[in-house]
């Protein structure tokens, strides 16, 4: 089974950068790394994904370690609306790699 | 564009009853997924389908069944409901299994008494 591990919770001050880590112990060469977030009482929503290179989009940046065993989601300036549970996925060899871990609950402090 | 639609939003079942959770997507996506979410357990994959006509078990398939007879629909059947199946269920779809972003529905909150 896919194995991703994340810290249970993190805190950040508003307007400061946040680095959310994820370890992908069983990732293979063809598995994409995905990040999603879930706001209270909503379904998860896509944040970013990548394979080997670092990726940027309007929501966040994704830094992928050279051996791909870990990744970091970077929110450049945390806002109160970024308070959510963040899930990473990556590490299932085969047809499907959307196995998620238990996620990191991000608290943003005003 | 509706995206991924799940029905019903809420459901209460008695132990032993059966029911089907509906999931439909209008994005012509090949891959579809069912997850359950329990407090402290994150998202756990129940079943997935890489394309119409194919299904595979995920992490926690026991007590559930699925079919994928059309591209749009991926119903999840509870064969004989148990209190342990009380959970929030999410359906998702993606254009290409694992390679593209997934879109999630708003969830079905199921309580089995």
């Amino acid at each position: 089974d896919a194995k991703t591990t994340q810290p249970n919770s993190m805190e950040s001050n508003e307007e400061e950068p946040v680095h959310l880590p994820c370890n992908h112990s069983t990732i293979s060469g063809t598995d994409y790394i995905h990040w999603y977030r879930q706001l209270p009482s909503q379904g998860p929503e896509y944040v970013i994904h990548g394979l080997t290179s670092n990726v940027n989009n309007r929501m966040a940046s994704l830094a992928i370690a050279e051996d791909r065993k870990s990744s970091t989601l970077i929110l450049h300036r945390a806002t109160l609306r970024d308070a959510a549970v963040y899930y990473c996925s990556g590490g299932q060899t085969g047809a499907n790699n959307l196995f998620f871990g238990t996620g990191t609950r991000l608290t943003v402090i005003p | 564009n509706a995206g991924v639609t799940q029905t019903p939003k809420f459901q209460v079942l008695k132990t032993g009853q059966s029911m089907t959770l509906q999931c439909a997507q209008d994005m012509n996506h090949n891959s579809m997924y069912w997850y359950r979410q329990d407090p402290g357990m994150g998202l756990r994959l129940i079943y997935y389908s890489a394309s119409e006509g194919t299904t595979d078990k995920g992490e926690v398939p026991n007590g559930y069944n699925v079919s994928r007879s059309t591209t749009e629909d991926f119903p999840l059947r509870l064969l004989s409901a148990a209190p342990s199946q009380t959970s929030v269920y999410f359906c998702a779809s993606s254009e290409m299994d694992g390679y593209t972003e997934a879109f999630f529905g708003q969830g079905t909150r199921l309580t089995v008494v």
Side-chain angles (χ1 to χ4, degrees):
Chain A
D1 287 347
K3 298 294 183 186
T4 61
T5 55
Q6 302 175 253
N8 287 335
S9 63
M10 291 183 66
E11 286 186 353
S12 173
N13 293 320
E14 196 176 9
E15 303 294 321
E16 290 188 356
V18 183
H19 291 232
L20 298 166
C22 178
N23 288 322
H24 318 268
S25 61
T26 61
I27 198 166
S28 74
T30 58
D31 290 338
Y32 275 75
I33 295 165
H34 289 244
W35 282 83
Y36 292 78
R37 72 180 187 182
Q38 187 174 23
L39 303 172
S41 301
Q42 294 191 23
E45 65 174 352
Y46 169 80
V47 177
I48 200 166
H49 77 295
L51 184 61
T52 56
S53 303
N54 294 345
V55 183
N56 300 293
N57 66 21
R58 64 174 179 82
M59 291 182 69
S61 295
L62 175 60
I64 300 173
E66 192 171 341
D67 64 2
R68 301 196 342 110
K69 298 297 184 183
S70 65
S71 67
T72 302
L73 178 70
I74 302 165
L75 307 179
H76 296 286
R77 292 178 64 202
T79 69
L80 297 179
R81 288 175 294 179
D82 291 323
V85 179
Y86 287 79
Y87 293 96
C88 65
S89 172
Q92 170 68 27
T93 299
N96 178 281
N97 59 12
L98 286 181
F99 286 83
F100 296 96
T102 54
T104 297
R105 181 175 299 279
L106 176 65
T107 300
V108 180
I109 302 168
Chain B
N1 190 344
V4 178
T5 303
Q6 292 184 236
T7 55
K9 288 185 169 51
F10 302 94
Q11 182 71 49
V12 179
L13 285 180
K14 293 182 179 179
T15 298
Q17 287 184 319
S18 62
M19 80 159 293
T20 299
L21 306 185
Q22 301 292 345
C23 176
Q25 54 94 5
D26 61 0
M27 297 171 281
N28 201 35
H29 284 172
N30 289 312
S31 301
M32 297 187 74
Y33 316 83
W34 273 107
Y35 296 89
R36 61 176 288 174
Q37 186 172 46
D38 304 296
M41 301 293 290
L43 292 160
R44 292 186 292 170
L45 184 65
I46 305 172
Y47 271 96
Y48 65 94
S49 169
S51 62
E52 179 182 331
T54 68
T55 62
D56 284 287
K57 295 178 181 179
E59 303 168 87
V60 288
N62 291 344
Y64 306 95
N65 203 351
V66 293
S67 59
R68 185 85 183 276
S69 56
T70 68
T71 298
E72 296 77 19
D73 300 300
F74 190 41
L76 178 71
R77 297 183 188 83
L78 279 70
L79 308 174
S80 177
S84 60
Q85 293 178 303
T86 293
S87 187
V88 181
Y89 292 84
F90 289 100
C91 178
S93 72
S94 68
E95 183 177 356
M96 192 187 311
D97 193 14
Y99 295 94
T100 57
E101 66 181 281
F103 295 81
F104 284 79
Q106 289 301 300
T108 294
R109 184 174 295 275
L110 175 69
T111 302
V112 182
V113 298

